[in-house]
Structures are given as structure tokens and as C-alpha cells.
Amino acid sequence: MMVMMAALSVGSLSAKPYPVPKMYMFGFAASFTDTIVYFTNVMEVENVWIEGKNKFLLGRSTYSHQLRDYLGQAHQMPMRTCVVMYDEKRANLEKKLIKMKKLYTKSKDKKAHFDIRYLADNEFRFKAIDWQKMLDEAAAEEAAKQKEEAKASDTKKKEKKAKKKEAKE
């Protein structure tokens, strides 16, 4: 929850976040300790949130953690370095996926340097994060905090008045 709150506070410094009906994503996972790399297919994820001007996907790290956690649990490949690529247009993202796959399949010496594995859609899917719920919870927590601070301030004022009254008597 603290990570989500930090993400929300960082997001609030720039343009306002807003939901988009769908975004296309694919995941990539690798490790510095072996040659196994994973790719997911390009998949449609509905109801994601982005930041206004720069169109950064909110929760990028959370989406990559979904992939990392899946690989750790289902494939006993914990702590992989995972990256999520995204775009609002499927064709643009498919070009990025092809380009990235070429980096790991084509080599000048014609030898396979990586063990490339593909995750099928029925194996792994990204799950959309309910940012509206997170924003509402953050706003409710902030309102409760402000109410508590106001109550503490009122209590201090009453105590000061009581002390002054006692001092006069």
C-alpha cells in the first residue's frame, strides 16, 4: 500500500492521471545469471491509467512485478528483471516486440546465445490496477488525517485557554 501511495504522490506532481479504455502491453523478463529470456504476447489490458502530458502508464512497476511474481511462482524463476512495454496502438507495440525479439535471436556469429521462452495468453495475463479505488482510498486517508490534525489542534487550543484561565484565577 505504501508503494501505491508513493506512486500516487509522485503522479500528482505532474499532469493529472486519467483512465483509458484499453492499452496494449507485452512483457519481457531476463536475468543476469542465466541466458533464459521470456516474452509474453501483445495483450489488451482494459481500464488502465496514464498520466496526461507524457502518457506514462501508471503502475509500470506494478505490472512488471506481476510478471516477475508469476515467473517466480509458476516457473521457479524468482527475481527476474522484468520490463513492460505498452502503447495505445497495437501495431506500434507489435513492431517494438519484433525489434526486441530480434535483439535476442539474431547474432552475427549465427549461434543461439539465449534460451527464448514464450508465455502463452492462457499462462499469464496482466491484470489492470484499479487506480480510481486507490485514488479514492488515498483521498479518504488524507481527509481522515486532516480531520485528526484539526481535532488535535482544537484540543491544544482548549488546553491553552484552560491554562490561561487557571493562571488568571
Side-chain angles (χ1 to χ4, degrees), residues 139-153:
E141 285 179 23
E142 183 64 28
K145 182 181 173 184
Q146 287 177 355
K147 186 177 179 180
E148 194 172 301
E149 287 172 355
K151 186 177 179 180
S153 177

Side-chain angles (χ1 to χ4, degrees), residues 23 25 48-51 54-61 63 84 86:
M23 182 72 68
M25 295 182 202
V48 299
W49 286 67
I50 60 175
E51 289 179 288
N54 53 23
K55 294 199 175 186
F56 276 142
L57 177 68
L58 286 180
R60 292 178 302 283
S61 62
Y63 289 109
V84 174
Y86 61 93

Side-chain angles (χ1 to χ4, degrees), residues 93-163:
L93 193 60
E94 286 174 345
K95 288 178 187 176
K96 288 179 188 177
L97 177 59
I98 290 167
K99 189 175 181 180
M100 201 160 180
K101 283 181 182 178
K102 281 183 184 177
L103 288 173
Y104 290 90
T105 55
K106 305 257 179 169
S107 65
K108 292 179 182 178
D109 61 3
K110 307 287 186 213
K111 293 181 182 177
H113 295 284
F114 296 97
D115 178 3
I116 299 171
R117 299 181 185 180
Y118 300 97
L119 297 174
D121 289 347
N122 62 355
E123 278 186 272
F124 173 79
R125 297 226 28 105
F126 289 109
K127 294 174 186 72
I129 301 165
D130 189 352
W131 284 99
Q132 186 60 52
K133 181 179 176 184
M134 300 295 271
L135 291 169
D136 292 345
E137 287 174 0
E141 285 179 23
E142 183 64 28
K145 182 181 173 184
Q146 287 177 355
K147 186 177 179 180
E148 194 172 301
E149 287 172 355
K151 186 177 179 180
S153 177
D154 287 344
T155 303
K156 284 183 182 180
K157 286 178 184 177
K158 287 178 183 178
E159 288 173 358
K160 280 184 181 181
K161 283 183 180 181
K163 284 182 182 179

